[in-house]
Amino acid sequence: MTEPLRIALAGLGTVGAGVIRLLDTNGELIARRAGRAIQVVAVSARDRSKDRGVDIGRFDWIDDPAGLARHAQADVVVELIGGSDGPALALARATLGAGKSLVTANKAMIAHHGLELARAAESGKLALKFEAAVAGGVPVIKGLREGAAANVIGRIYGILNGTCNFILSKMEAEGRDFADILSEAQRLGYAEADPGFDIDGVDAAHKLSILASIAFGTQPAFGDVAIGGIRHVIAADIAEAAALGYRIRLLGIADSSAQGLFQRVHPHLVPLSHPLAHVTGSTNAVVAEGNFAGRLLFQGAGAGDGPTASAVVADLIDIARGEFGPPYAMPADALAAQAPAESGVRRGRAYLRFTVADKVGVLAEIAAAMRDAGVSIESLIQRGASADGSVLVAIVTHEAPERAVAQALERLRGSQALAGEPMWMHILGD
Ligand code: NDP
Ligand code: HSE
């Protein structure tokens, strides 16, 4: 057998410790598959004395993670610290600058700096691999870069955040509180260091921008993703959606057309007839529509130590075999710059939820705003007064341009009839 592939590992938290555990458990099989052993030689984290459930005493300890890039024995650096900039980016730049390949699970860093890092990797004929950055253990990047490489992909969409899906499906099944379920997701190691990134849709947006770039051959454009999260989804929305035949899921959706590049993360009503309605817990699922392959569905565990470590080590196996191409499936300089698409002209059905005062004329005022904007109502549910005297009105519209729905809501802004901000969710079409 040839020389081992020697790894320097930065970050020994959920994912980093998972990688060491995986290599300890499956090392022999991996060596046979890769044609050489994969061996950790050096590690770095903040606290050397922390118990991580794995023996790190056998590796060189380096205080400054960027020092791993200069480690004499290391062939490849694995960055599992997190954060778009700071020590993660410093290490990534130092690694590629030192002529070493880089594996990372850091979607924030790739979403913000992926193009720069890909150019550096390509010019040095090095690998830059980030399978774990999108959908945890699901090989969706590999699926797009390799399996679907012959297709024009028109649209890609799916459930890209395990924490949000865990929260929404638990709220749905157990009627529990949002905050209580978020703490459980944090305990299970699903959430980001700042869980606001999860629940406000930013983490899913990072992943969507990476997928869109690979799927469409366009330059990564995280800044153009329209982002919404699940913070304002309430139990009543979940109940009304269920009564109407839907489940609520945080979806990332991207398409590329003559109108431009469209990228949006937002809670959606997903019809029960769609496979994404049945994806529960921290599972992720991504649908890619290829012009020859048809609809491809990638699904599996989207977060947590084991699945994420599995994706990191799969990247290492590719590098050990010498199998890697350009990070975005085509050379970075061949990626097209595409302008963002205008969302107002998009047509779709909408779910609107209003909390209103229980008094005469309120429904007529909402209906008039919809009529004046040219939005036709398909169904309407009104629930009786709650303790504070407010009433919940949930509306599903017929298909209409998004601009018209926005106009209807704008007409109602400041109305005395409304108690609080209306909630607008898109309904996933075919
Ligand atoms: P953790 O917070 O569990 O671990 C982060 C690690 O980085 C810790 O070991 C920490 O050290 C170390 N670290 C933090 N700051 C520094 C610093 N300034 N210098 C040196 N080391 C530092 O994060 P995760 O393992 O959950 O995530 C790691 C990466 O993987 C992130 O990019 C995340 O987005 C990504 N990811 C995570 C998934 C998950 O399910 N958790 C899934 C997919 C991707 P110490 O332990 O000493 O404090
Ligand atoms: N916080 C992320 C999630 C981890 O919940 O999906 C996986 O990327």
Side-chain angles (χ1 to χ4, degrees):
M1 215 177 258
T2 46
E3 283 288 292
L5 184 76
R6 296 188 178 89
I7 308 302
L9 180 58
L12 295 169
T14 304
V15 186
V19 166
I20 295 175
R21 215 166 8 255
L22 191 158
L23 289 171
D24 284 348
T25 309
N26 293 350
E28 207 182 303
L29 173 71
I30 289 168
R32 281 192 280 131
R33 289 206 171 123
R36 57 202 285 212
I38 296 178
Q39 200 177 82
V40 178
V41 292
V43 295
S44 178
R46 274 179 304 212
D47 179 357
R48 188 172 187 171
S49 63
K50 200 189 265 186
D51 177 10
R52 302 172 186 281
V54 287
D55 168 23
I56 56 162
R58 59 202 147 139
F59 312 129
D60 287 350
W61 175 273
I62 310 291
D63 282 324
D64 173 12
L68 293 176
R70 299 185 295 275
H71 193 277
Q73 272 103 53
D75 306 306
V76 176
V77 171
V78 179
E79 183 281 307
L80 300 171
I81 295 174
S84 59
D85 294 80
L89 183 61
L91 173 60
R93 285 175 173 156
T95 298
L96 298 169
K100 294 181 181 180
S101 289
L102 178 73
V103 172
T104 180
N106 188 338
K107 48 274 164 123
M109 180 177 75
I110 294 299
H112 286 275
H113 304 288
L115 199 55
E116 170 206 322
L117 297 175
R119 287 197 170 111
E122 286 170 24
S123 75
K125 301 201 177 348
L126 304 165
L128 165 65
K129 295 189 66 77
F130 41 81
E131 181 64 64
V134 179
V138 185
V140 60
I141 290 182
K142 205 173 183 60
L144 292 174
R145 287 180 74 244
E146 298 177 22
N151 288 258
V152 174
I153 307 280
R155 181 163 78 137
I156 188 155
Y157 63 100
I159 294 169
L160 295 171
N161 185 270
T163 303
C164 286
N165 210 59
F166 183 79
I167 292 172
L168 290 171
S169 52
K170 285 249 173 192
M171 282 174 82
E172 183 180 279
E174 299 169 18
R176 281 167 54 201
D177 253 11
F178 184 99
D180 170 36
I181 306 172
L182 173 60
S183 320
E184 194 180 334
Q186 287 177 292
R187 271 198 308 281
L188 290 165
Y190 301 155
E192 295 304 299
D194 174 358
F197 274 54
D198 295 292
I199 58 179
D200 293 326
V202 177
D203 176 76
H206 287 148
K207 295 165 179 169
L208 183 70
S209 66
I210 296 169
L211 283 183
S213 175
I214 295 170
F216 308 140
T218 49
Q219 289 178 3
F222 168 70
D224 294 337
V225 185
I227 307 178
I230 64 166
R231 210 180 270 275
H232 302 295
V233 176
I234 57 174
D237 292 320
I238 291 176
E240 298 310 344
L244 293 160
Y246 298 94
R247 289 199 176 129
I248 297 176
R249 294 287 178 265
L250 183 75
L251 298 186
I253 300 187
D255 57 55
S256 170
S257 67
Q259 280 69 50
L261 175 64
F262 173 77
Q263 303 177 93
R264 174 158 67 201
V265 171
H266 211 257
H268 283 68
L269 267 66
V270 180
L272 286 172
S273 57
H274 196 288
L276 294 187
H278 303 279
V279 175
T280 57
S282 63
T283 305
N284 283 190
V286 180
V287 177
E289 295 170 348
N291 64 339
F292 275 71
R295 185 187 271 192
L296 299 167
L297 174 65
F298 302 88
Q299 181 170 340
D305 57 347
T308 313
S310 160
V312 169
V313 176
D315 280 348
L316 290 170
I317 293 172
D318 271 354
I319 294 172
R321 290 169 170 157
E323 289 172 2
F324 56 88
Y328 289 95
M330 64 177 69
D333 287 339
L335 294 167
Q338 194 178 22
E342 212 249 288
S343 65
V345 295
R346 294 178 77 84
R347 296 182 64 81
R349 291 161 67 234
Y351 165 93
L352 303 171
R353 180 253 299 155
F354 303 91
T355 310
V356 300
D358 189 10
K359 58 183 190 196
V360 176
V362 167
L363 273 186
E365 190 178 338
I366 295 174
M370 309 282 283
R371 179 203 58 212
D372 292 350
V375 180
S376 157
I377 295 174
E378 181 186 296
S379 58
L380 184 151
I381 300 175
Q382 179 182 336
R383 300 283 173 202
S386 62
D388 65 358
S390 64
V391 168
L392 189 137
V393 175
I395 289 176
V396 168
T397 72
H398 282 293
E399 200 177 277
E402 292 186 9
R403 184 182 292 131
V405 178
Q407 272 164 9
L409 294 178
E410 192 50 40
R411 272 165 202 266
L412 288 165
R413 185 174 295 281
S415 159
Q416 296 297 311
L418 299 195
E421 280 291 301
M423 177 72 177
W424 172 7
M425 287 188 262
H426 304 282
I427 298 183
L428 182 66
D430 291 336

